[in-house]
PDB file of all heavy atoms in Angstrom:
ATOM      1  N   GLN A 279     -32.741 -15.931 -11.527  1.00  0.00           N
ATOM      2  CA  GLN A 279     -33.527 -14.992 -10.729  1.00  0.00           C
ATOM      3  C   GLN A 279     -34.334 -14.059 -11.617  1.00  0.00           C
ATOM      4  O   GLN A 279     -35.524 -13.808 -11.374  1.00  0.00           O
ATOM      5  CB  GLN A 279     -32.600 -14.173  -9.825  1.00  0.00           C
ATOM      6  CG  GLN A 279     -32.059 -14.932  -8.632  1.00  0.00           C
ATOM      7  CD  GLN A 279     -31.128 -14.070  -7.807  1.00  0.00           C
ATOM      8  OE1 GLN A 279     -30.052 -13.684  -8.263  1.00  0.00           O
ATOM      9  NE2 GLN A 279     -31.547 -13.753  -6.597  1.00  0.00           N
ATOM     10  N   THR A 280     -33.687 -13.523 -12.634  1.00  0.00           N
ATOM     11  CA  THR A 280     -34.371 -12.605 -13.542  1.00  0.00           C
ATOM     12  C   THR A 280     -35.533 -13.298 -14.253  1.00  0.00           C
ATOM     13  O   THR A 280     -36.636 -12.744 -14.374  1.00  0.00           O
ATOM     14  CB  THR A 280     -33.380 -12.044 -14.571  1.00  0.00           C
ATOM     15  OG1 THR A 280     -32.365 -11.306 -13.886  1.00  0.00           O
ATOM     16  CG2 THR A 280     -34.081 -11.122 -15.566  1.00  0.00           C
ATOM     17  N   LEU A 281     -35.308 -14.522 -14.723  1.00  0.00           N
ATOM     18  CA  LEU A 281     -36.363 -15.248 -15.426  1.00  0.00           C
ATOM     19  C   LEU A 281     -37.521 -15.595 -14.489  1.00  0.00           C
ATOM     20  O   LEU A 281     -38.692 -15.505 -14.871  1.00  0.00           O
ATOM     21  CB  LEU A 281     -35.788 -16.526 -16.042  1.00  0.00           C
ATOM     22  CG  LEU A 281     -34.813 -16.318 -17.208  1.00  0.00           C
ATOM     23  CD1 LEU A 281     -34.165 -17.642 -17.599  1.00  0.00           C
ATOM     24  CD2 LEU A 281     -35.514 -15.694 -18.393  1.00  0.00           C
ATOM     25  N   LEU A 282     -37.196 -15.970 -13.261  1.00  0.00           N
ATOM     26  CA  LEU A 282     -38.243 -16.304 -12.303  1.00  0.00           C
ATOM     27  C   LEU A 282     -39.084 -15.077 -11.955  1.00  0.00           C
ATOM     28  O   LEU A 282     -40.297 -15.170 -11.753  1.00  0.00           O
ATOM     29  CB  LEU A 282     -37.637 -16.901 -11.034  1.00  0.00           C
ATOM     30  CG  LEU A 282     -37.070 -18.309 -11.155  1.00  0.00           C
ATOM     31  CD1 LEU A 282     -36.241 -18.646  -9.922  1.00  0.00           C
ATOM     32  CD2 LEU A 282     -38.183 -19.332 -11.348  1.00  0.00           C
ATOM     33  N   GLU A 283     -38.417 -13.922 -11.887  1.00  0.00           N
ATOM     34  CA  GLU A 283     -39.119 -12.706 -11.487  1.00  0.00           C
ATOM     35  C   GLU A 283     -39.910 -12.085 -12.631  1.00  0.00           C
ATOM     36  O   GLU A 283     -40.957 -11.478 -12.401  1.00  0.00           O
ATOM     37  CB  GLU A 283     -38.100 -11.698 -10.939  1.00  0.00           C
ATOM     38  CG  GLU A 283     -38.691 -10.485 -10.253  1.00  0.00           C
ATOM     39  CD  GLU A 283     -39.034  -9.365 -11.235  1.00  0.00           C
ATOM     40  OE1 GLU A 283     -38.449  -9.340 -12.338  1.00  0.00           O
ATOM     41  OE2 GLU A 283     -39.881  -8.529 -10.903  1.00  0.00           O
ATOM     42  N   SER A 284     -39.426 -12.232 -13.842  1.00  0.00           N
ATOM     43  CA  SER A 284     -40.014 -11.468 -14.951  1.00  0.00           C
ATOM     44  C   SER A 284     -40.792 -12.304 -15.953  1.00  0.00           C
ATOM     45  O   SER A 284     -41.368 -11.759 -16.892  1.00  0.00           O
ATOM     46  CB  SER A 284     -38.905 -10.694 -15.687  1.00  0.00           C
ATOM     47  OG  SER A 284     -37.952 -11.596 -16.236  1.00  0.00           O
ATOM     48  N   THR A 285     -40.809 -13.636 -15.802  1.00  0.00           N
ATOM     49  CA  THR A 285     -41.539 -14.487 -16.740  1.00  0.00           C
ATOM     50  C   THR A 285     -42.358 -15.534 -15.983  1.00  0.00           C
ATOM     51  O   THR A 285     -42.179 -15.734 -14.779  1.00  0.00           O
ATOM     52  CB  THR A 285     -40.585 -15.224 -17.708  1.00  0.00           C
ATOM     53  OG1 THR A 285     -39.926 -16.304 -17.001  1.00  0.00           O
ATOM     54  CG2 THR A 285     -39.528 -14.285 -18.270  1.00  0.00           C
ATOM     55  N   ASP A 286     -43.232 -16.215 -16.734  1.00  0.00           N
ATOM     56  CA  ASP A 286     -44.002 -17.329 -16.186  1.00  0.00           C
ATOM     57  C   ASP A 286     -43.462 -18.668 -16.674  1.00  0.00           C
ATOM     58  O   ASP A 286     -44.147 -19.689 -16.598  1.00  0.00           O
ATOM     59  CB  ASP A 286     -45.472 -17.201 -16.597  1.00  0.00           C
ATOM     60  CG  ASP A 286     -46.143 -15.986 -15.958  1.00  0.00           C
ATOM     61  OD1 ASP A 286     -45.820 -15.706 -14.793  1.00  0.00           O
ATOM     62  OD2 ASP A 286     -46.952 -15.334 -16.629  1.00  0.00           O
ATOM     63  N   LEU A 287     -42.235 -18.675 -17.156  1.00  0.00           N
ATOM     64  CA  LEU A 287     -41.659 -19.913 -17.673  1.00  0.00           C
ATOM     65  C   LEU A 287     -41.593 -20.972 -16.575  1.00  0.00           C
ATOM     66  O   LEU A 287     -41.317 -20.652 -15.415  1.00  0.00           O
ATOM     67  CB  LEU A 287     -40.246 -19.653 -18.201  1.00  0.00           C
ATOM     68  CG  LEU A 287     -40.129 -18.772 -19.446  1.00  0.00           C
ATOM     69  CD1 LEU A 287     -38.666 -18.454 -19.728  1.00  0.00           C
ATOM     70  CD2 LEU A 287     -40.762 -19.474 -20.645  1.00  0.00           C
ATOM     71  N   PRO A 288     -41.839 -22.230 -16.925  1.00  0.00           N
ATOM     72  CA  PRO A 288     -41.707 -23.292 -15.922  1.00  0.00           C
ATOM     73  C   PRO A 288     -40.267 -23.403 -15.434  1.00  0.00           C
ATOM     74  O   PRO A 288     -39.323 -23.013 -16.133  1.00  0.00           O
ATOM     75  CB  PRO A 288     -42.156 -24.551 -16.672  1.00  0.00           C
ATOM     76  CG  PRO A 288     -42.005 -24.220 -18.118  1.00  0.00           C
ATOM     77  CD  PRO A 288     -42.252 -22.747 -18.243  1.00  0.00           C
ATOM     78  N   VAL A 289     -40.123 -23.958 -14.252  1.00  0.00           N
ATOM     79  CA  VAL A 289     -38.789 -24.056 -13.646  1.00  0.00           C
ATOM     80  C   VAL A 289     -37.843 -24.845 -14.548  1.00  0.00           C
ATOM     81  O   VAL A 289     -36.648 -24.536 -14.639  1.00  0.00           O
ATOM     82  CB  VAL A 289     -38.898 -24.706 -12.250  1.00  0.00           C
ATOM     83  CG1 VAL A 289     -37.510 -24.998 -11.679  1.00  0.00           C
ATOM     84  CG2 VAL A 289     -39.667 -23.806 -11.301  1.00  0.00           C
ATOM     85  N   GLU A 290     -38.362 -25.862 -15.229  1.00  0.00           N
ATOM     86  CA  GLU A 290     -37.514 -26.653 -16.124  1.00  0.00           C
ATOM     87  C   GLU A 290     -36.911 -25.785 -17.230  1.00  0.00           C
ATOM     88  O   GLU A 290     -35.738 -25.930 -17.584  1.00  0.00           O
ATOM     89  CB  GLU A 290     -38.327 -27.794 -16.742  1.00  0.00           C
ATOM     90  CG  GLU A 290     -38.734 -28.881 -15.774  1.00  0.00           C
ATOM     91  CD  GLU A 290     -39.905 -28.483 -14.890  1.00  0.00           C
ATOM     92  OE1 GLU A 290     -40.531 -27.421 -15.161  1.00  0.00           O
ATOM     93  OE2 GLU A 290     -40.212 -29.222 -13.931  1.00  0.00           O
ATOM     94  N   LYS A 291     -37.732 -24.871 -17.788  1.00  0.00           N
ATOM     95  CA  LYS A 291     -37.243 -23.995 -18.855  1.00  0.00           C
ATOM     96  C   LYS A 291     -36.274 -22.960 -18.294  1.00  0.00           C
ATOM     97  O   LYS A 291     -35.284 -22.607 -18.945  1.00  0.00           O
ATOM     98  CB  LYS A 291     -38.432 -23.301 -19.527  1.00  0.00           C
ATOM     99  CG  LYS A 291     -38.064 -22.546 -20.802  1.00  0.00           C
ATOM    100  CD  LYS A 291     -37.545 -23.495 -21.878  1.00  0.00           C
ATOM    101  CE  LYS A 291     -37.275 -22.758 -23.191  1.00  0.00           C
ATOM    102  NZ  LYS A 291     -36.759 -23.673 -24.235  1.00  0.00           N
ATOM    103  N   VAL A 292     -36.548 -22.456 -17.094  1.00  0.00           N
ATOM    104  CA  VAL A 292     -35.630 -21.510 -16.452  1.00  0.00           C
ATOM    105  C   VAL A 292     -34.268 -22.162 -16.252  1.00  0.00           C
ATOM    106  O   VAL A 292     -33.222 -21.552 -16.512  1.00  0.00           O
ATOM    107  CB  VAL A 292     -36.203 -21.035 -15.101  1.00  0.00           C
ATOM    108  CG1 VAL A 292     -35.156 -20.233 -14.321  1.00  0.00           C
ATOM    109  CG2 VAL A 292     -37.450 -20.191 -15.329  1.00  0.00           C
ATOM    110  N   ALA A 293     -34.265 -23.416 -15.811  1.00  0.00           N
ATOM    111  CA  ALA A 293     -33.007 -24.137 -15.624  1.00  0.00           C
ATOM    112  C   ALA A 293     -32.258 -24.275 -16.941  1.00  0.00           C
ATOM    113  O   ALA A 293     -31.033 -24.090 -17.013  1.00  0.00           O
ATOM    114  CB  ALA A 293     -33.282 -25.511 -15.022  1.00  0.00           C
ATOM    115  N   GLU A 294     -32.996 -24.572 -18.010  1.00  0.00           N
ATOM    116  CA  GLU A 294     -32.366 -24.736 -19.322  1.00  0.00           C
ATOM    117  C   GLU A 294     -31.769 -23.424 -19.818  1.00  0.00           C
ATOM    118  O   GLU A 294     -30.611 -23.379 -20.266  1.00  0.00           O
ATOM    119  CB  GLU A 294     -33.404 -25.252 -20.318  1.00  0.00           C
ATOM    120  CG  GLU A 294     -32.887 -25.382 -21.745  1.00  0.00           C
ATOM    121  CD  GLU A 294     -33.996 -25.753 -22.718  1.00  0.00           C
ATOM    122  OE1 GLU A 294     -35.029 -26.292 -22.280  1.00  0.00           O
ATOM    123  OE2 GLU A 294     -33.828 -25.471 -23.925  1.00  0.00           O
TER     124      GLU A 294
END
Side-chain angles (χ1 to χ4, degrees):
Q279 285 179 294
T280 298
L281 291 172
L282 288 168
E283 191 274 338
S284 61
T285 75
D286 293 323
L287 293 172
V289 172
E290 291 77 10
K291 190 63 176 179
V292 171
E294 176 186 339

